[in-house]
Amino acid sequence: MRIGTVAKRSGLSTRTIDYYTQMGLLSYSRSEANYRLYPESVLDKIEHIQKLKEARMTLQEIKKIMACKEEKATAPKLNEVNEELEHLQSKLASLQSELEHASPEERRYAAQEIQLKMVPVLQMITTLLS
């Protein structure tokens, strides 16, 4: 697909797609007429990028995650961990949005519960990283 088609189908501007390409988030090949041709799978990548951006991740963080995904053959467990972390980040963003509309008592209670559960989670993450 040419960039205009990708833009139309993804809902993004050609400028945004070009920026993602320059950052190395999207890959393409060249036609005989020197047009950039994107594979059909680029739409899935763009959707993935948008979800990660909605989870408040920077493009640099997204690039690192996508690089890890591409190393799937050499590190399948790492991809599994990354997918779980992405899911958790998305869930946390959703919960944060819900807490913004909660009463002060509900927020205080949620903060206490989260603090109690964070220690074991951080210990597990530390174990994964060592």
Side-chain angles (χ1 to χ4, degrees), residues 4-53:
T5 304
V6 174
K8 231 179 253 182
R9 291 183 60 189
S10 68
L12 297 177
S13 68
T14 56
R15 187 173 179 187
T16 299
I17 294 165
D18 188 44
Y19 183 65
Y20 289 173
T21 302
Q22 289 173 6
M23 285 196 66
L25 294 169
L26 305 175
S27 57
Y28 63 92
S29 59
R30 289 276 181 190
S31 71
E32 289 182 22
N34 207 28
Y35 289 110
R36 280 184 281 178
L37 298 177
Y38 293 89
E40 190 75 25
S41 62
V42 77
L43 297 173
D44 293 331
K45 279 189 176 182
I46 289 172
E47 184 178 337
H48 186 64
I49 291 167
Q50 294 306 107
K51 284 181 183 178
L52 294 174
K53 283 181 66 179

Side-chain angles (χ1 to χ4, degrees), residues 4 7 17 20 22 28 51 53 58 72 88-90 96 105 119:
I17 294 165
Y20 289 173
Q22 289 173 6
Y28 63 92
K51 284 181 183 178
K53 283 181 66 179
T58 67
K72 189 175 186 176
L88 288 172
Q89 286 174 322
S90 175
Q96 182 179 10
E105 297 84 29
V119 172

Side-chain angles (χ1 to χ4, degrees), residues 108-120:
R108 221 176 359 267
Y109 176 73
Q112 290 170 348
E113 287 294 310
I114 290 169
Q115 287 172 353
L116 288 173
K117 294 177 181 172
M118 282 306 297
V119 172

